[in-house]
Amino acid sequence: MFKVQKNISLKPYTSFKIGGKARFFIQAKTKQNLVTGCELALKESLPILILGGGSNLLINDKKTINAAVILITNQDFEISKNKIKVGAGFGLDSLVKKSVENNLRGLEYLSGIPGTVGGAIYGNAGAYGKSISDYLVEAEVFNGRDFKKFSKLNCQFSYRDSFFKRTKFAIWQGLFELEPGNRKVLENIRQAILAYRQIRYPNKFKSAGSFFKNVSQGKFAKKALKNLPKCAFSGQEVAAGFLIEQVGLLGKIFGGAKIADHQGNYLINFKDAKAEDVIKLAKLARKKVFQKFGVELEPEVQLIGFSNKVF
């Protein structure tokens, strides 16, 4: 049943548990729900904000978000041999679990990453040198008029980025092609990663996961890069968490927001934090890292409802 809600708090729909109200709020379980929601936005001359798991964003809590917020809840799931077609509202970790159970290799390194499949495609989520785009064949999206299928190439993936970050298209589902694997081996990898993530990103905290993107090695002066220890590197990038730790900000607090005691790139809402608290903390981290290393940290988290350029 299609239902439009007005002035609904977005706070419960984000992993940060921070956020203002939405002028209109719609849950889209079917394609028709999504179409109707977009038609409402057009009728009201409002922009559209697509939500998934709410795990990689920070929403301004000082004002009502003047938009039609559409929460994608499409849970479709279909598996055929080594291919999986899955709705954008399906949990990313649930997809990983299903793939392992079906002896399919490729997504196990994404174990424990919060959020939905749609959000993961949008931000090209990944870990340990692997990204969801590595195994995506195509994404079905709604462009406001029609449902279209985008090939992996047309999605324009790069590190934590995709074509969809530069459009208002809504991701409806994804098609993945995986490789045959051994369930026992894959399960061992998955459990090891889940255990490690629980140490690095304890789920007892309200957060958006990694707040900043890791920094490309090419952005560092050669001398500075040469002086960094091996533990500073994460694939082809330098870990943002390492840089923030090196400027002495572990445990730093602003209002109700805090940089975790054990991980520099883990900003948490530990005491009824406001969006402004998180922003101030992030700005301080960027300033200190730039002063010491000469590089600018770029947010991985999507910022919603801020009228001015935050960083």
Side-chain angles (χ1 to χ4, degrees):
M1 179 180 176
F2 182 78
K3 183 180 180 181
V4 178
Q5 296 174 283
K6 296 182 179 181
N7 297 316
I8 294 297
S9 173
L10 296 174
K11 185 176 177 179
Y13 297 97
T14 75
S15 57
F16 246 139
K17 301 306 176 192
I18 298 172
K21 294 181 178 180
R23 183 171 168 187
F24 292 103
F25 183 79
I26 301 120
Q27 295 195 41
K29 187 176 182 180
T30 68
K31 285 185 174 181
Q32 188 55 54
N33 291 160
L34 180 54
V35 171
T36 305
C38 291
E39 288 174 346
L40 171 67
L42 183 63
K43 179 182 176 183
E44 298 289 336
S45 301
L46 290 174
I48 296 168
L49 171 62
I50 300 296
L51 279 188
S55 60
N56 200 35
L57 48 81
L58 177 65
I59 299 176
N60 193 339
D61 54 358
K62 280 190 172 181
K63 61 181 183 180
T64 295
I65 305 302
N66 193 33
V69 178
I70 302 177
L71 178 68
I72 304 291
T73 59
N74 174 19
Q75 294 280 319
D76 291 347
F77 185 89
E78 179 184 326
I79 186 166
S80 177
K81 295 183 179 179
N82 64 329
K83 291 185 178 180
I84 300 178
K85 185 183 292 184
V86 60
F90 203 86
L92 175 59
D93 188 61
S94 296
L95 170 60
V96 176
K97 185 174 184 290
K98 288 278 192 182
S99 69
V100 168
E101 289 173 349
N102 284 274
N103 298 290
L104 295 175
R105 180 170 67 87
L107 298 177
E108 61 276 5
Y109 287 97
L110 278 58
S111 293
I113 296 179
T116 59
V117 170
I121 294 172
Y122 176 89
N124 194 17
Y128 308 106
K130 302 287 186 179
S131 298
I132 195 166
S133 59
D134 295 337
Y135 295 93
L136 183 80
V137 176
E138 65 181 22
E140 185 175 6
V141 306
F142 184 63
N143 62 13
R145 299 180 303 277
D146 306 294
F147 284 87
K148 300 286 187 181
K149 291 183 178 178
F150 273 61
S151 68
K152 176 178 176 176
L153 182 63
N154 288 338
C155 292
Q156 299 177 19
F157 288 116
S158 59
Y159 174 70
R160 302 297 175 265
D161 195 21
S162 76
F163 167 81
F164 306 111
K165 283 195 171 184
R166 296 177 288 282
T167 72
K168 296 299 181 183
F169 294 0
I171 299 168
W172 183 249
Q173 68 180 14
L175 175 64
F176 298 89
E177 184 172 6
L178 306 176
E179 300 169 358
N182 181 285
R183 177 174 177 174
K184 185 175 181 180
V185 172
L186 298 175
E187 187 62 39
N188 286 340
I189 294 172
R190 173 170 163 76
Q191 292 305 319
I193 290 173
L194 288 174
Y196 180 73
R197 286 190 66 87
Q198 185 55 30
I199 294 171
R200 295 289 285 173
Y201 303 97
N203 55 24
K204 64 181 179 180
F205 295 128
K206 294 171 283 191
S207 83
S210 296
F211 194 89
F212 294 105
K213 295 179 182 180
N214 292 334
V215 185
S216 169
Q217 294 183 31
K219 293 187 177 181
F220 288 82
K222 289 185 178 179
K223 183 178 179 181
L225 203 61
K226 189 179 293 185
N227 291 331
L228 294 177
K230 286 185 178 180
C231 65
F233 297 90
S234 177
Q236 297 301 308
E237 291 81 33
V238 176
F242 171 85
L243 301 176
I244 295 171
E245 290 167 18
Q246 294 306 300
V247 296
L249 290 181
L250 288 183
K252 181 66 177 179
I253 294 173
F254 257 126
K258 178 180 181 180
I259 295 177
D261 296 319
H262 68 287
Q263 220 277 59
N265 200 18
Y266 193 41
L267 278 62
I268 61 176
N269 171 6
F270 84 106
K271 194 176 181 181
D272 298 322
K274 305 297 183 185
E276 183 180 18
D277 299 335
V278 179
I279 293 296
K280 285 182 178 178
L281 205 52
K283 282 185 173 180
L284 177 65
R286 290 185 88 241
K287 177 182 176 181
K288 293 287 188 180
V289 167
F290 182 77
Q291 288 174 342
K292 184 175 179 67
F293 296 101
V295 295
E296 292 188 334
L297 295 177
E298 182 182 345
E300 182 174 327
V301 170
Q302 185 182 6
L303 304 175
I304 302 295
F306 298 90
S307 54
N308 299 320
K309 183 174 173 60
V310 177
F311 297 114

